[in-house]
Amino acid sequence: MGRPRTFDEEAILDRAMLLFWRKGYEATSMNDLVEELELGRGSIYAAFGDKHRLFVQALGRYLGRQSELLAAALDDRQPALPQLRHLFETLLRADAACSGAGCFSVNSIAELLPGDAAVAELARTSLRSAEDAFTAQLVRAEAAGELNDAVTPREAAHLLLALVQGLQILRKADPDPARLAASLDSAFALIRRPAAVRPDDRAAEPLGEPGAVSGTAPHTVPHAVPLAAPLGAPLGVA
């Protein structure tokens, strides 16, 4: 019989996750893991397998927590689009907490795919789950008359998923919170139903001088109505 383990495997896995998150897979050596986890090589192999198996478990743990965050942040009690916008801000803030390392999932996809089948399967499953969660919210938005008729809920969900994944890459080069917020504003303006213009707000445009009606004083053309006002406060990415 082997000796019982005297360490908390969950806590050790969290520490491994943070190390891989900061350094990436290739740059993390077994010596790094031994030092960070304060375990011998034999204990690491016995509990988690080799470096790759440990990495896959660490990434799976990260993605599981992302799924929990999604489930906790999205419900059917609040307006769908503001709720989605707030979720994206939360995701960006959460990943900014790891010393500016960005999103562990996006980093791993960029580093290891398409050559790593185990990581690819984890990533596909996680992305499908996120897109399904976004779609469910956008179906609610569509039912409430908030979604632009030009897109379906699934199409809008795919757009938002691509956006938030791309922002994780872009902000590593340009972490300006105002630019991140502007990108979110633009995306939500595109998928939100345009505000209606009332008939009495439209200016008369007869032949001749624009903005003037024959025999009357010039009529002022109202300002164009924006697609959507910005949703939520600017990002507070650390």
Side-chain angles (χ1 to χ4, degrees):
M1 263 181 88
R3 290 181 299 174
R5 290 170 187 158
T6 58
F7 54 86
D8 183 341
E9 290 189 27
E10 298 294 311
I12 292 296
L13 196 54
D14 280 340
R15 290 164 69 177
M17 178 185 74
L18 291 173
L19 179 61
F20 282 126
W21 191 351
R22 290 194 308 269
K23 299 193 66 171
Y25 176 73
E26 292 294 345
T28 300
S29 67
M30 279 303 299
N31 286 338
D32 293 330
L33 288 164
V34 167
E35 180 178 350
E36 180 73 19
L37 306 184
E38 299 178 332
L39 294 175
R41 287 173 179 258
S43 295
I44 294 173
Y45 286 128
F48 304 105
D50 61 16
K51 171 184 158 181
H52 183 260
R53 289 177 61 189
L54 176 55
F55 177 83
V56 170
Q57 291 174 72
L59 179 59
R61 189 168 181 80
Y62 172 87
L63 294 174
R65 290 182 175 174
Q66 293 289 79
S67 295
E68 291 171 2
L69 190 155
L70 279 177
L74 298 177
D75 58 46
D76 58 2
R77 297 186 297 274
Q78 303 294 326
L81 294 185
Q83 194 175 66
L84 274 172
R85 167 61 189 266
H86 179 70
L87 169 66
F88 292 162
E89 292 178 1
T90 301
L91 288 171
L92 290 169
R93 287 193 191 103
D95 286 335
C98 188
S99 303
C103 173
F104 186 23
S105 174
V106 170
N107 294 349
S108 300
I109 290 169
E111 180 182 6
L112 297 173
L113 296 193
D116 192 313
V119 171
E121 181 58 30
L122 277 176
R124 280 193 296 267
T125 300
S126 176
L127 292 172
R128 280 195 299 263
S129 177
E131 186 174 315
D132 288 345
F134 298 165
T135 299
Q137 291 298 302
L138 290 161
V139 167
R140 290 203 304 117
E142 183 180 50
E146 299 172 351
L147 190 66
N148 196 315
D149 292 335
V151 292
T152 67
R154 177 63 68 177
E155 290 167 345
H158 192 73
L159 170 65
L160 292 178
L161 181 64
L163 171 72
V164 75
Q165 296 289 298
L167 285 178
Q168 299 286 13
I169 295 291
L170 290 175
R171 71 162 187 188
K172 295 177 77 171
D174 183 3
D176 181 4
R179 289 175 65 84
L180 295 176
S183 296
L184 288 178
D185 286 338
S186 297
F188 278 89
L190 288 172
I191 68 171
R192 189 170 185 175
R193 183 188 295 273
V197 179
R198 295 175 299 177
D200 58 353
D201 285 338
R202 297 192 182 96
E205 292 280 345
L207 294 175
E209 182 182 353
V213 179
S214 177
T216 67
H219 188 83
T220 302
V221 179
H223 293 295
V225 178
L227 284 176
L231 297 173
L235 290 176
V237 180

